[in-house]
Amino acid sequence: MAKNIIIVESPAKARTIERYLGRGYKVAASMGHVRDLPKSKLGVDIEDDFQPKYVTIRGKGKILDELRGLVKSADNVYLAMDPDREGEAIAWHLTHALNLDDGDAIRIAFNEITERVIKRSVEQPRSIKQPLVDAQQARRILDRLVGYKISPLLWRKIRYGLSAGRVQSSAVRMIVDREREREAFVPREYWTLGAVFETQANEQFEGQLSKWRESEPDIPDKATMDQVLEGLPRDRYQVAKVETKKTKRYPSAAFTTSSLQQEASRRLGMRASSTMRTAQQLYEGLPISGKSEHTGLITYMRTDASRVSEEAVDEAKAYIKEMYGAKYSDPRKQRGKAKAASQDAHEAIRPTDVTLTPGRIKKDLNRSQFRLYKLIWERFLASQMKPARFDETTLTLQSDDYEFEARGKIMRFPGFMVLSNKGQPEDDELLPEVKKDDDVTLVEFMPKQNFTKPKARYTEASLVRALEDAGIGRPSTYAPIIETIQKRGYVEIESKHFQPTELGLLVNDLLENYFADIVDLNFTASVEKRLDAIEEGKLEWRQVVREFWESLAADLERAEDEIEDAPNPICEECGKEMEIKQGRFGKFFACTGYPECRNTKPLEEQNNQETEEETDEVCEKCGRRMVIKHGRYGKFIACPGYPECQNTKPYVVKTGAECPECGGEVVKRWSKKGRVFYGCDQFPDCRFVVWNKPTDQHCEDCGAFLVNKRSKKKGEYLKCSNDQCGREYLPAEGLEST
């Protein structure tokens, strides 16, 4: 039996570490948490100063028995969970479950799974850091109080199965507020004027009207634009000014958890949960050709610090000098900074070995692993390189009271941009060589009608950024927050943007009215700061929980008094009210007339009369008008004559577009992952689908319906749904081609 036992969370990590340490060490896995608050009840004794009542997680008894056997015969036991609050809490729970002393030097932590770092960590064990445990424990209890106290109220007042969360509710609030801001937005028309000029050497370039009658142009409508065009000279313009200045573009710092999720979403189209899952695989290690063991490819992926170690800086510097030359290496050694109020527990996300280039290990990784590793590798290496240098030129063209400006730039030194093959400027960045007082000829004017646009709906990337900016949540919570609000049916994703559902609006409004603190962004951010203060040893965790509960308890009492309960269903067999009962397989409705009446029904069939909506669809079995109901998997259409008539149908949202393949109607659907798409209502006989929302407009060329599209370069526009046609239109200009 090995004399030294190391316990980690995952088997993959265990195998890698055991190979590094060799004989004398046995590495076992706890498979994550082994103790937690019970699922069936609150698990927090409010009267006993919020004492948590932890229980062994179901299914972990056998694992704990195996670990106890290993610990009993070992000379030394080390707990090597992840280096953050959650990891510290898992280690603390293991000390209680395995009868270890959390004051002993049994905790080892490392930011990367490499042989050098692992061996160094084993030589430097420490005791459990209780402030980190307290911070995690406080977060768990706060979330439990919100979830287990507010959620039952939502069940009674709105519908069974709803939930509220301390952080998730704030995220829904942000999405709802953005949607209502968009609905209230009134577009404003404005015009811009571009022009094409030609030099004496017959080189053409574009400029924009920058001054009209000694002020910036304000052209609100076509009549004003016609007035401007009428007064504009149609012949020659003179170069009144040539300004050239040197500018630099600096590389971004190495990734934090938040910036990695944002960039992976923006550039790779990866969901936050997929990004974190793939990063975990890269961190724990993968088999790499030419190496005898699994290799951890990146440092720990849950961090809000952008600093990197001196050792990593030196390795990057040597690699850059060898591959690109000394002129590309930044002698200032950019190491990044920790954000204010960040945990700063460990360094930024970077490759463990910068010589393991993406191209070198591509064949050892799957597509997601390769793309994410390439993103991390390039970002880190770029952060250690010199900035790109440009010459930016502004030409001012003048005639009478009118001035046009043309801007361009020339790259003089690519710097870090050499990594992404952006070493040469694009053609549209160049301006012709002209001098002050040169004459240029006007070729044509290009007036353009524009409309102001509301703020865009949140994408995963922008929502993560907004949560981070507001101080809500922490690196490890962003992906679970996004997953939860979708699973609860509070938001949906359409064209990669979040939209609140009717249910999300309803729950948000109730929480805003009766639990303002829960959805208040500033309050939620202040709680996060107090959790940080607990971690730093500046606050006692029970004090934070106590103050939070006092405010929540008062809100709960008011809500209970003021909100009427949603009515329980009436038994169809005897006419008595039904009530919720707990059965072997969960909760259900049972008639209060038991035992004379034994009628029961699933909770999913409860419907709040205020939210039940009648449809135009007629039940073909009994002739009643069908209604929209809410089940555990979302909305469906059901006959109101239940249980005599049990006819149900899928709930679909009609778009009014005709299927180009069979003539059926295109309806809104949801994928298994909650993503919105549009397909023919004759599925599975017809499998036509599009991912963008159909419109009631049709293509002038082929007659197919147009769909809404959006891109950074073009903004919002329309595109033909027929892939073989693909014609594009600007919505503000009707069916005028782009």
Side-chain angles (χ1 to χ4, degrees):
M1 182 64 66
K3 293 184 177 181
N4 301 290
I5 301 297
I6 297 179
I7 303 175
V8 297
E9 298 106 309
S10 72
K13 190 188 297 186
R15 289 191 295 269
T16 304
I17 294 174
E18 191 166 276
R19 277 192 291 268
Y20 287 149
L21 296 176
R23 297 180 61 183
Y25 285 89
K26 170 67 177 177
V27 186
S30 71
M31 307 299 292
H33 275 281
V34 295
R35 297 198 315 168
D36 196 7
L37 299 173
K39 285 188 175 181
S40 59
K41 53 186 179 181
L42 180 63
V44 179
D45 192 340
I46 297 174
E47 301 302 323
D48 189 16
D49 208 10
F50 306 97
Q51 181 64 34
K53 298 179 179 179
Y54 294 111
V55 297
T56 300
I57 297 173
R58 180 175 294 181
K60 292 298 181 76
K62 184 178 179 181
I63 294 173
L64 281 175
D65 288 341
E66 293 174 356
L67 293 177
R68 289 186 185 108
L70 292 173
V71 168
K72 188 175 181 181
S73 57
D75 292 339
N76 299 300
V77 178
Y78 301 104
L79 305 176
M81 284 66 219
D82 287 345
D84 57 10
R85 290 178 188 168
E86 203 72 22
E88 205 74 12
I90 294 175
W92 179 76
H93 282 296
L94 277 170
T95 63
H96 288 265
L98 303 177
N99 294 318
L100 302 173
D101 188 343
D102 56 17
D104 291 343
I106 58 174
R107 177 79 165 105
I108 58 176
F110 37 81
N111 296 332
E112 59 183 82
I113 302 179
T114 56
E115 184 173 359
R116 166 177 49 83
V117 172
I118 295 297
K119 288 183 175 180
R120 183 195 304 163
S121 300
V122 171
E123 295 171 356
Q124 302 172 345
R126 59 170 173 79
S127 60
I128 300 288
K129 291 183 177 179
Q130 193 59 41
L132 270 71
V133 176
D134 290 343
Q136 190 276 342
Q137 188 167 234
R139 174 185 288 278
R140 189 78 182 93
I141 292 174
L142 289 176
D143 292 342
R144 177 58 66 103
L145 290 172
V146 171
Y148 277 55
K149 289 297 184 179
I150 298 182
S151 296
L153 184 137
L154 295 177
W155 303 346
R156 296 194 303 275
K157 308 301 184 183
I158 301 179
R159 175 165 60 82
Y160 181 81
L162 301 180
S163 74
R166 185 180 58 83
V167 178
Q168 76 177 48
S169 298
S170 294
V172 174
R173 163 80 179 274
M174 295 173 75
I175 294 171
V176 169
D177 286 351
R178 177 61 59 87
E179 189 67 20
R180 285 175 171 161
E181 184 180 348
R182 288 174 56 85
E183 290 173 355
F185 182 82
V186 178
R188 181 180 61 83
E189 180 184 7
Y190 70 98
W191 288 68
T192 55
L193 180 61
V196 178
F197 299 94
E198 187 173 85
T199 67
Q200 296 175 4
N202 298 323
E203 296 176 296
Q204 291 190 351
F205 63 97
E206 294 183 10
Q208 291 287 324
L209 181 66
S210 59
K211 187 174 290 188
W212 174 38
R213 295 176 180 172
E214 299 184 353
S215 61
E216 292 185 7
D218 180 12
I219 309 175
D221 49 41
K222 188 175 186 302
T224 308
M225 174 56 75
D226 291 341
Q227 181 184 353
V228 172
L229 289 173
E230 185 177 349
L232 276 166
R234 293 300 200 273
D235 47 10
R236 292 191 176 275
Y237 284 74
Q238 189 177 59
V239 178
K241 192 186 301 181
V242 179
E243 290 183 323
T244 300
K245 61 180 180 179
K246 298 184 182 299
T247 61
K248 295 181 180 180
R249 183 182 301 174
Y250 288 90
S252 300
F255 281 125
T256 62
T257 303
S258 169
S259 59
L260 176 64
Q261 291 176 359
Q262 293 173 51
E263 198 70 357
S265 174
R266 187 179 68 84
R267 291 183 55 183
L268 308 180
M270 292 179 69
R271 304 288 300 275
S273 56
S274 177
T275 297
M276 296 309 293
R277 184 167 55 249
T278 304
Q280 183 84 35
Q281 296 164 0
L282 297 175
Y283 166 68
E284 292 185 347
L286 296 164
I288 301 298
S289 302
K291 291 185 175 287
S292 59
E293 68 281 319
H294 275 52
T295 302
L297 296 175
I298 64 170
T299 53
Y300 191 54
M301 65 287 164
R302 292 187 179 92
T303 174
D304 46 12
S306 57
R307 61 178 175 81
V308 294
S309 66
E310 288 282 350
E311 189 175 15
V313 169
D314 292 339
E315 289 176 0
K317 182 179 179 180
Y319 179 84
I320 293 167
K321 283 185 175 181
E322 180 182 353
M323 300 302 297
Y324 300 98
K327 65 180 180 179
Y328 283 91
S329 178
D330 190 346
R332 296 181 297 117
K333 292 187 179 180
Q334 298 177 35
R335 284 186 284 277
K337 296 180 180 179
K339 289 187 176 181
S342 72
Q343 293 179 40
D344 198 26
H346 27 81
E347 58 180 307
I349 306 169
R350 61 167 177 81
T352 57
D353 182 355
V354 75
T355 64
L356 287 177
T357 63
R360 178 179 167 186
I361 62 174
K362 182 176 182 178
K363 60 181 179 297
D364 300 310
L365 309 179
N366 63 34
R367 183 171 182 269
S368 295
Q369 292 166 348
F370 169 73
R371 296 171 77 212
L372 193 64
Y373 180 73
K374 184 172 185 288
L375 197 67
I376 293 169
W377 186 89
E378 288 186 348
R379 176 77 165 236
F380 167 67
L381 201 65
S383 73
Q384 305 303 314
M385 300 179 77
K386 285 188 175 179
R389 297 198 302 270
F390 299 87
D391 284 349
E392 288 194 359
T393 301
T394 302
L395 303 181
T396 302
L397 313 172
Q398 193 172 42
S399 182
D400 298 336
D401 293 334
Y402 300 88
E403 284 187 5
F404 285 80
E405 277 190 359
R407 298 177 182 272
K409 61 183 176 181
I410 299 175
M411 180 180 286
R412 296 304 184 188
F413 176 67
F416 74 95
M417 296 178 71
V418 73
L419 286 174
S420 51
N421 298 318
K422 292 181 179 178
Q424 298 298 324
E426 299 177 0
D427 291 341
D428 60 0
E429 292 181 331
L430 299 176
L431 286 177
E433 293 286 343
V434 294
K435 299 187 296 295
K436 186 177 182 300
D437 298 330
D438 281 358
D439 288 334
V440 295
T441 303
L442 172 70
V443 178
E444 63 172 328
F445 289 124
M446 298 183 296
K448 182 180 179 182
Q449 181 188 34
N450 306 278
F451 292 91
T452 56
K453 297 178 180 179
K455 291 181 179 178
R457 293 185 177 98
Y458 287 111
T459 61
E460 279 207 3
S462 60
L463 182 59
V464 168
R465 176 65 181 272
L467 289 169
E468 183 185 34
D469 289 346
I472 296 173
R474 283 297 178 259
S476 60
T477 65
Y478 298 138
I481 289 170
I482 291 171
E483 289 291 304
T484 299
I485 61 179
Q486 291 179 79
K487 286 181 180 178
R488 299 298 183 191
Y490 297 155
V491 302
E492 60 187 20
I493 293 181
E494 184 169 347
S495 301
K496 298 184 179 181
H497 290 77
F498 286 109
Q499 286 183 256
T501 62
E502 293 177 17
L503 182 61
L505 293 168
L506 185 65
V507 172
N508 178 77
D509 289 347
L510 185 143
L511 293 177
E512 272 198 74
N513 289 334
Y514 293 96
F515 301 95
D517 284 348
I518 299 300
V519 292
D520 182 77
L521 306 187
N522 292 329
F523 178 80
T524 306
S526 71
V527 173
E528 295 292 349
K529 292 178 180 178
R530 292 172 74 79
L531 291 173
D532 291 341
I534 294 172
E535 179 178 332
E536 296 163 5
K538 298 177 181 178
L539 281 177
E540 201 273 327
W541 73 267
R542 293 179 193 272
Q543 173 190 345
V544 173
V545 173
R546 189 181 307 113
E547 292 173 358
F548 180 89
W549 170 247
E550 288 173 356
S551 173
L552 178 60
D555 290 340
L556 281 166
E557 184 176 355
R558 184 171 71 92
E560 289 283 4
D561 292 340
E562 296 182 9
I563 309 177
E564 293 185 4
D565 285 353
N568 284 339
I570 302 300
C571 178
E572 301 87 352
E573 296 185 6
C574 69
K576 293 183 179 180
E577 185 178 2
M578 305 187 82
E579 62 182 359
I580 297 176
K581 293 284 188 179
Q582 177 69 49
R584 181 179 179 185
F585 300 106
K587 294 182 178 181
F588 62 95
F589 279 112
C591 180
T592 54
Y594 180 88
E596 290 79 12
C597 180
R598 297 174 178 266
N599 186 27
T600 63
K601 63 192 302 184
L603 277 170
E604 286 79 7
E605 295 179 3
Q606 176 196 17
N607 281 279
N608 185 346
Q609 296 300 317
E610 293 182 4
T611 60
E612 190 174 278
E613 181 182 346
E614 192 176 78
T615 71
D616 294 331
E617 189 134 3
V618 176
C619 177
E620 62 272 18
K621 294 184 179 181
C622 69
R624 293 182 176 93
R625 196 177 290 273
M626 302 184 80
V627 296
I628 298 173
K629 294 197 173 188
H630 293 271
R632 67 182 300 180
Y633 300 111
K635 293 180 179 179
F636 64 97
I637 297 176
C639 179
Y642 181 90
E644 292 84 8
C645 180
Q646 301 185 18
N647 186 24
T648 62
K649 294 181 179 181
Y651 173 75
V652 296
V653 178
K654 298 180 180 180
T655 64
E658 181 179 306
C659 175
E661 295 185 4
C662 73
E665 184 161 8
V666 178
V667 297
K668 186 177 183 180
R669 296 187 183 276
W670 288 264
S671 70
K672 291 181 179 180
K673 294 185 177 180
R675 185 179 174 188
V676 173
F677 69 97
Y678 301 87
C680 181
D681 64 352
Q682 300 301 310
F683 178 87
D685 296 329
C686 178
R687 295 180 176 270
F688 172 80
V689 297
V690 290
W691 289 100
N692 299 98
K693 187 175 182 179
T695 70
D696 58 0
Q697 300 187 65
H698 294 79
C699 179
E700 294 175 336
D701 290 347
C702 68
F705 63 83
L706 304 180
V707 297
N708 284 307
K709 294 276 286 183
R710 181 183 182 85
S711 70
K712 286 189 174 181
K713 186 175 181 180
K714 301 176 184 177
E716 294 182 358
Y717 64 100
L718 303 176
K719 184 177 181 180
C720 179
S721 59
N722 181 359
D723 290 336
Q724 295 180 348
C725 174
R727 185 172 173 183
E728 298 176 353
Y729 303 89
L730 291 174
E733 300 178 3
L735 293 181
E736 182 177 334
S737 293
T738 60

